[in-house]
Amino acid sequence: MARPPHTRTRTRALARARTRTRARGAAALASACALVAVTGCGAADMTKQASPYANAQGAKSVTLAVQSWVGAQANVAVVKYLLEHELGYHVDTVQIDEVPAWDALSQGRVDAILEDWGHPEQEKRYVDDKKTIASGGGLGVTGHIGWFVPTYFAKQHPDVTDWRNLNKYADRFRTPESGGKGQLLDGSPSYVTNDKALVSNLNLDYQVVFAGSEAAQITQIEQFAKEKKPFLTYWYKPQWLFEKVPMTEVRLPPYKEGCDADARKVACAYPHTPLEKFLNADFARQGGAAAALMKNFRWTTEEQNEVALMIAERKMSPDDAAAAWAKENRPVWQKWLPKRK
Amino acid sequence: MAHAPTSTPTSTPPPTSTPTASTAATPAATGAGPAPRGRLASALRAHALTRLLPFAVFAAVLVPPALTLWPGTAWPDALTVDLSGPLGGASDWIIDNRDSHPLFLYFFGHISNAVVLCVRAVYLVLLGAGWAGVTAAAGLIAWRVAGVRLALTAVASIAVCGLLGMWVPTMQTLALMVVAVVVSVVLGALLGLAAGLSDRLYRALRPVLDTMQVLPAFAYLLPVVLIFGIGVPAAVLATVVYAAPPMARLTALGLREADRGVMEAVTSLGTTARQRLLSARLPLARTQLLLGLNQTIMMALSMAVIASVIGAGGLGDRVYQALASVDVGAALAAGLPIVLLAVVLDRVTAAAGSGSGPAASGTSPSGTSPSGTGGDAGGRLRGAWVGPGRTGWVLVAVAAVAVALAGRLAGRLNWPGSWTVAIAEPVNGAVDWMTAHLYSGVPVVGGTADWAGRFTTWVLDPLRGGLQGLPWWALLLVVAALALAIGTWRTALTAVLALALTGVLGVWNPSLDTLSQVLAAVVVTLVIGFATGVAAARSRRVEALLRPVLDVFQTLPQFVYLIPVVALFGVGRAPAVAAAVVYALPAVVRITTQGLREVDASALESARSLGATGGQQLRQVQLPLAGPALRLAVNQGVVLVLAVVIIGGLVGGGALGYSVVFGLAQGDLATGLVAGAAIVCLGLLLDRVSQPTERAGADRKGA
């Protein structure tokens, strides 16, 4: 654009405009300064990154990570119910995948993960090296990953539960998506899986089809079950879906300590993992009653399933399910509450 | 994702590329005009021939050496670059240094804190105002801007958010949106201002902005997450990156299109550059600026759910959590407030753009089309902003504060828990019924699962096989020829380089897999979309019936219908394609209907007087004349389909979408970023190949 013609006839209006802009500039500068003053002129603390929704209206608040599976929702719902109704906290929940949740935990964006399926790499980085995350003890539930076929199919063909016979049934498990091979249905990309390596190392005539999310996988399994069709799927225990679609595990070559060390050479089953809780290190120290409750929180697979089933099967909201469970099981959760001084 | 929500449910300009939209809406302006069809076609053919001939020679020289150097059909390994090492290293470095490195402590950390502070401030204000205050403020603002009818709509919509039991999440999303939109608008306006005043900057920014418009949001979530971590700051920034480009683009466009006569007059008054900018250029560009605001808001809202994947919280997170337990009803309950917010914000800003005060509320806000700036602009250089409105705004503010205080005194800040309606159960019942009865075994036509199976076997598999079986150089040549035939050397070069880059990045086969899904979905979308569009253009009743459906589907977060789609079509590529079709259809139907409707009435009249039947009119007059609009529909369809096919990674679509999801879920930068880059390449490629002469036309106009 052309330069303005040089002019001496500066009108009063222009002068007024100038003052106005100057005033506006000053206002902007002032607000910028205020912002800097509030955020602190020095270094920002990247390990204290709370959620903007936390502590609204003066409530004591806790942020919990919920993973996408329903068992984790059950943990969080019950803890949330107790925090809100017994200890007077406000609880925010955020759905995060497993690995990013570790990240968020170390930065203080969430205060706790209540169900972790074993992430040795992250555990070493954050718990041992950086000390930004502290262990919260065991959850009391043992997790197990495996390959499953529906029980109605396993009853008709008992030998399918041995991996050596899987190739025999490959054509029964075929779908349009798996091409000419049998389909091994895998779930969310966030889950621990060696299935691709397993299929190739055990020379199975199968194609791993990733459902992409647990929701999609469950929906597909339910559709198969409705039609009593055979299917082979990656799945895990404890999981409420077993109550609705009974499934039988396929025996893979037994798990031995360290046999899954090299991800490409894995040729053995998945281990049984005691599930654990992890807390943000600062929260673990200063979290008061909330942190104490979460450290004490420990229940059984059946108890977790009971709540999970209410959420997923009876379509109750997690909060309602937790309330219903808590009403029936007072003695169970009474001992989790921190002792009043 | 995607751009559909950007097109406003009511206002007419089609999504995203508004400059192209404006030229498409007024074909005469581009000079394409109602030329006789035969001449146009032959001109096109000649044009294509002159370009393709040198190209053929070029290809004949290049292919044989390429063949001898790298035989085989797949992309040669020698030409790929493995980035997993450096990317993994970068990811580790960031995680290890995030708490201590000055770059984070003094730069990113402050950005992150400022965002948190702002969102928190807005959130507290909203909560402090209580539901009565917020509802009253929304109603009063809508009334001032757009009249009584919209005010009622706004109040009803906000009340529904409360009724669905979504009050707090709605406020969280609103707080995040306010901050993201303000930042986007400021950033976009500054960029647009610079580009509007400087030709060089404009030329530099244009390709960048064009590219941003075609990027699926999923592609760049990962880098943002890595730097800022999961949470609100990352969500706000991703939203800003997504929502700022339309504002920048439209600001630049508005400034550059300022009426020359007015500018001349203002200059002759001896004004300085700043005066000219403030008193003439900006007011003249008002329509474009408000349209930019409108688009920015819609794009930001469409990110609300996608951003929940990286911890945005609010409504999006409710949708995401509901889907984890396969609860479509609950997802819908959280999705509806997003739709309602989108509809209200869209109509209010569209009404502001068309300058209709309370008096003119009844008219449709189609005046947002950028062509209305010219004549009356001088008259409302300043008047629209001040005038009698100021006292009105003061009254509005006073009334809103009064209601908020009343609500506070009554102790009713949160939405009363008893005033909620549970829609989840009936919706789930309906979905269950649908999937139980349609999935398979329907007599004669077969169930949806059978269709999906056949579609996968007979359409998707051959298409993917064909693309992956084609030698890589042949595919590059095909793309080049296609882009050349309808574009310029430059678009062809971009398209070819984009495709080649997917090979270089080592994701040739997954990219082609995604491409095959996109192509299949585009074909289905266009067939259904054009048919529906023609029907709607021919009958007002059909259009009136379709409108609310299109509105809802265009703003409904895609995540909501991912699960019903799986229930109907099973896991795999077929549901991904189905979701993409559902998402892209509204835009295609709309643009088609509008294009057919806007065909010169006199041309139709003369055809009718010559005794042409309805079919003849359609085939020989309407369709040829609506050509630009139809091509725009194709382009939009392609861009929207790509966005959802990527999300299809969540329902078994595999390929690039799965890699991005995997990268996000595992924090695996190498996989996620490479897939993201490949998606960007595919977006560029598809846009360039489907973007016909409009862009060139817009260039000629200097737009």
Side-chain angles (χ1 to χ4, degrees):
Chain A
M1 109 161 253
R3 288 191 62 82
H6 186 71
T7 170
R8 283 172 179 281
T9 58
R10 291 220 162 124
T11 60
R12 237 182 297 158
L14 180 54
R16 230 183 301 135
R18 273 282 166 90
T19 1
R20 223 186 305 140
T21 30
R22 217 174 291 142
R24 224 178 290 151
L29 195 67
S31 56
C33 284
L35 193 66
V36 172
V38 176
T39 50
C41 278
D45 189 345
M46 292 298 281
T47 58
K48 291 200 174 59
Q49 298 277 319
S51 152
Y53 310 128
N55 298 317
Q57 296 172 336
K60 291 182 290 181
S61 112
V62 174
T63 308
L64 298 176
V66 197
Q67 293 95 332
S68 53
W69 61 91
V70 179
Q73 286 190 343
N75 301 329
V76 169
V78 168
V79 169
K80 179 181 176 191
Y81 176 86
L82 295 178
L83 282 172
E84 287 185 339
H85 293 86
E86 297 297 321
L87 302 177
Y89 279 83
H90 170 77
V91 179
D92 279 312
T93 59
V94 193
Q95 177 160 329
I96 319 183
D97 284 319
E98 291 171 83
V99 177
W102 276 85
D103 231 30
L105 192 60
S106 86
Q107 293 195 313
R109 286 174 209 274
V110 296
D111 294 316
I113 301 177
L114 295 176
E115 178 174 320
D116 184 77
W117 281 63
H119 290 87
E121 197 183 314
Q122 277 76 14
E123 202 172 327
K124 183 178 176 319
R125 173 177 267 157
Y126 294 114
V127 180
D128 300 342
D129 296 350
K130 293 187 153 195
K131 303 203 189 310
T132 48
I133 294 179
S135 166
L139 176 70
V141 180
T142 300
H144 176 58
I145 298 170
W147 289 3
F148 292 85
V149 291
T151 305
Y152 52 75
F153 186 71
K155 279 202 181 119
Q156 292 163 7
H157 308 276
D159 57 340
V160 76
T161 56
D162 188 334
W163 67 272
R164 288 180 202 87
N165 300 324
L166 277 178
N167 277 344
K168 206 166 92 188
Y169 292 97
D171 60 330
R172 300 291 303 272
F173 295 124
R174 209 155 52 196
T175 67
E177 205 50 54
S178 64
K181 301 174 170 181
Q183 168 172 293
L184 169 58
L185 191 63
D186 254 52
S188 159
S190 66
Y191 298 168
V192 179
T193 170
N194 307 323
D195 285 1
K196 271 193 163 170
L198 277 172
V199 165
S200 83
N201 293 340
L202 298 177
N203 293 321
L204 297 176
D205 185 22
Y206 281 77
Q207 169 82 32
V208 183
V209 172
F210 289 94
S213 59
E214 183 175 301
Q217 193 182 7
I218 291 178
T219 311
Q220 178 70 76
I221 290 177
E222 287 186 335
Q223 289 289 26
F224 280 140
K226 224 177 265 170
E227 311 219 308
K228 300 273 174 223
K229 274 192 184 161
F231 61 87
L232 176 66
T233 182
Y234 166 104
W235 207 234
Y236 61 94
K237 286 175 172 174
Q239 228 292 353
W240 58 271
L241 191 66
F242 284 105
E243 317 284 333
K244 204 177 165 200
V245 182
M247 288 185 267
T248 310
E249 187 170 0
V250 174
R251 282 187 309 275
L252 292 169
Y255 174 82
K256 278 193 234 61
E257 188 71 31
C259 74
D260 52 358
D262 184 347
R264 270 165 309 169
K265 292 189 189 145
V266 181
C268 61
Y270 294 90
H272 287 261
T273 321
L275 307 183
E276 285 190 69
K277 300 169 288 182
F278 288 94
L279 308 181
N280 175 282
D282 287 334
F283 176 74
R285 275 192 302 273
Q286 298 148 14
L293 169 74
M294 278 183 242
K295 284 180 198 158
N296 293 341
F297 174 59
R298 190 182 173 87
W299 60 350
T300 63
T301 305
E302 291 72 38
E303 284 158 348
Q304 190 196 47
N305 257 345
E306 202 180 318
V307 182
L309 206 62
M310 282 194 262
I311 298 172
E313 213 13 70
R314 287 162 53 190
K315 302 284 181 215
M316 290 167 76
S317 79
D319 294 344
D320 293 346
W325 182 84
K327 202 171 282 172
E328 303 287 310
N329 295 279
R330 180 171 277 274
V332 181
W333 55 260
Q334 200 78 49
K335 57 179 189 280
W336 300 337
L337 295 180
K339 298 191 177 57
R340 298 241 161 81
K341 280 161 201 158
Chain B
M1 224 85 320
H3 307 262
T6 57
S7 122
T8 56
T10 45
S11 63
T12 32
T16 49
S17 38
T18 322
T20 55
S22 72
T23 50
T26 53
T30 62
R37 191 188 177 198
R39 208 198 313 152
L40 202 118
S42 66
L44 257 179
R45 224 175 295 136
H47 158 92
L49 261 185
T50 49
R51 276 164 188 221
L52 287 180
L53 207 62
F55 168 71
V57 176
F58 180 69
V61 174
L62 270 191
V63 166
L67 256 180
T68 47
L69 265 179
W70 305 291
T73 56
W75 184 266
D77 284 339
L79 293 184
T80 58
V81 179
D82 185 11
L83 289 177
S84 56
L87 282 178
S91 157
D92 282 342
W93 184 87
I94 292 180
I95 294 176
D96 286 338
N97 291 286
R98 198 164 43 195
D99 307 337
S100 55
H101 195 274
L103 180 65
F104 288 94
L105 294 187
Y106 293 98
F107 184 65
F108 292 130
H110 285 306
I111 293 182
S112 162
N113 286 344
V115 168
V116 169
L117 202 73
C118 294
V119 173
R120 187 176 172 78
V122 178
Y123 180 58
L124 290 183
V125 167
L126 287 174
L127 282 189
W131 63 269
V134 172
T135 313
L140 287 166
I141 292 174
W143 170 65
R144 279 301 302 163
V145 173
V148 176
R149 266 176 57 182
L150 260 182
L152 289 179
T153 316
V155 168
S157 303
I158 295 204
V160 170
C161 297
L163 277 177
L164 290 171
M166 287 289 152
W167 184 253
V168 171
T170 306
M171 291 305 110
Q172 292 182 343
T173 295
L174 205 56
L176 195 146
M177 284 298 123
V178 167
V179 174
V181 166
V182 167
V183 176
S184 308
V185 165
V186 170
L187 203 72
L190 285 179
L191 281 177
L193 204 61
L197 298 180
S198 146
D199 283 328
R200 192 181 301 164
L201 251 175
Y202 183 67
R203 274 197 302 276
L205 269 181
R206 233 195 99 108
V208 179
L209 294 181
D210 281 354
T211 311
M212 301 292 293
Q213 300 258 34
V214 300
L215 290 196
F218 240 63
Y220 51 75
L221 291 182
L222 187 58
V224 182
V225 168
L226 196 69
I227 291 176
F228 290 99
I230 289 267
V232 171
V236 167
L237 288 168
T239 309
V240 168
V241 172
Y242 190 64
M247 187 72 204
R249 211 185 154 108
L250 285 164
T251 310
L253 193 69
L255 289 177
R256 301 184 79 81
E257 277 187 343
D259 191 311
R260 283 186 195 285
V262 178
M263 290 313 297
E264 196 90 353
V266 178
T267 315
S268 71
L269 287 174
T271 46
T272 62
R274 178 186 288 171
Q275 280 176 321
R276 276 204 302 278
L277 180 65
L278 291 179
S279 67
R281 277 202 178 212
L282 282 180
L284 281 177
R286 179 173 182 269
T287 312
Q288 300 276 19
L289 291 180
L290 283 169
L291 184 62
L293 175 68
N294 173 294
Q295 301 243 328
T296 297
I297 292 178
M298 301 314 283
M299 305 215 27
L301 262 177
S302 73
M303 269 295 276
V305 176
I306 291 168
S308 73
V309 176
I310 56 171
L315 290 171
D317 197 59
R318 295 301 174 97
V319 174
Y320 194 45
Q321 288 193 20
L323 288 188
S325 49
V326 200
D327 189 343
V328 180
L332 195 68
L336 271 184
I338 298 180
V339 174
L340 292 173
L341 281 182
V343 169
V344 168
L345 286 171
D346 170 58
R347 299 208 175 168
V348 170
T349 48
S354 67
S356 63
S361 65
T363 60
S364 95
S366 61
T368 39
S369 87
S371 52
T373 354
D376 60 333
R380 54 161 205 249
L381 276 188
R382 275 170 176 273
W385 294 101
V386 278
R390 190 165 279 176
T391 42
W393 283 111
V394 172
L395 279 179
V396 164
V398 170
V401 170
V403 174
L405 281 179
R408 232 192 144 82
L409 289 179
R412 280 282 177 90
L413 277 181
N414 275 326
W415 186 268
S418 55
W419 294 8
T420 55
V421 181
I423 64 158
E425 267 174 53
V427 171
N428 282 329
V431 171
D432 284 346
W433 184 88
M434 219 171 67
T435 52
H437 289 80
L438 300 180
Y439 183 67
S440 70
V442 180
V444 189
V445 288
T448 48
D450 307 329
W451 296 357
R454 267 176 242 145
F455 189 73
T456 309
T457 321
W458 296 111
V459 179
L460 286 172
D461 281 347
L463 200 56
R464 179 173 68 178
L467 282 176
Q468 291 179 345
L470 217 58
W472 57 276
W473 47 268
L475 206 58
L476 289 181
L477 287 182
V478 169
V479 165
L482 269 178
L484 259 185
I486 50 171
T488 61
W489 276 105
R490 196 178 291 180
T491 56
L493 196 65
T494 318
V496 170
L497 285 182
L499 184 60
L501 192 57
T502 63
V504 173
L505 288 171
V507 284
W508 180 256
N509 276 337
S511 299
L512 292 185
D513 189 353
T514 299
L515 189 62
S516 71
Q517 296 174 37
V518 171
L519 292 180
V522 165
V523 170
V524 176
T525 309
L526 291 183
V527 169
I528 304 179
F530 282 163
T532 320
V534 167
R538 292 173 71 86
S539 149
R540 289 270 170 206
R541 195 180 301 160
V542 174
E543 194 187 11
L545 279 177
L546 272 180
R547 216 180 102 174
V549 181
L550 295 184
D551 275 3
V552 168
F553 274 96
Q554 207 157 24
T555 36
L556 199 65
Q558 309 92 325
F559 280 31
V560 174
Y561 47 77
L562 280 182
I563 292 305
V565 159
V566 172
L568 284 176
F569 300 108
V571 155
R573 284 164 291 155
V577 167
V581 169
V582 172
Y583 189 61
L585 258 183
V588 171
V589 170
R590 250 201 192 106
I591 301 174
T592 312
T593 311
Q594 196 196 335
L596 290 176
R597 275 274 159 76
E598 282 180 358
V599 162
D600 195 352
S602 60
L604 261 187
E605 192 58 43
S606 55
R608 218 170 290 142
S609 68
L610 289 172
T613 62
Q616 283 173 329
Q617 282 172 37
L618 180 71
R619 272 195 313 279
Q620 296 177 359
V621 183
Q622 282 182 303
L623 283 182
L625 285 185
L630 297 188
R631 284 197 290 274
L632 181 69
V634 173
N635 179 254
Q636 284 303 311
V638 168
V639 170
L640 296 177
V641 160
L642 174 67
V644 180
V645 163
I646 296 303
I647 297 185
L650 289 172
V651 292
L656 294 179
Y658 179 79
S659 301
V660 172
V661 177
F662 179 88
L664 275 172
Q666 296 281 355
D668 182 343
L669 193 66
T671 311
L673 207 60
V674 165
I679 292 167
V680 171
C681 290
L682 277 188
L684 274 177
L685 161 73
L686 288 166
D687 182 58
R688 294 303 183 267
V689 171
S690 67
Q691 180 107 19
T693 43
E694 270 99 305
R695 184 158 286 165
D699 276 333
R700 270 204 304 282
K701 241 174 77 181

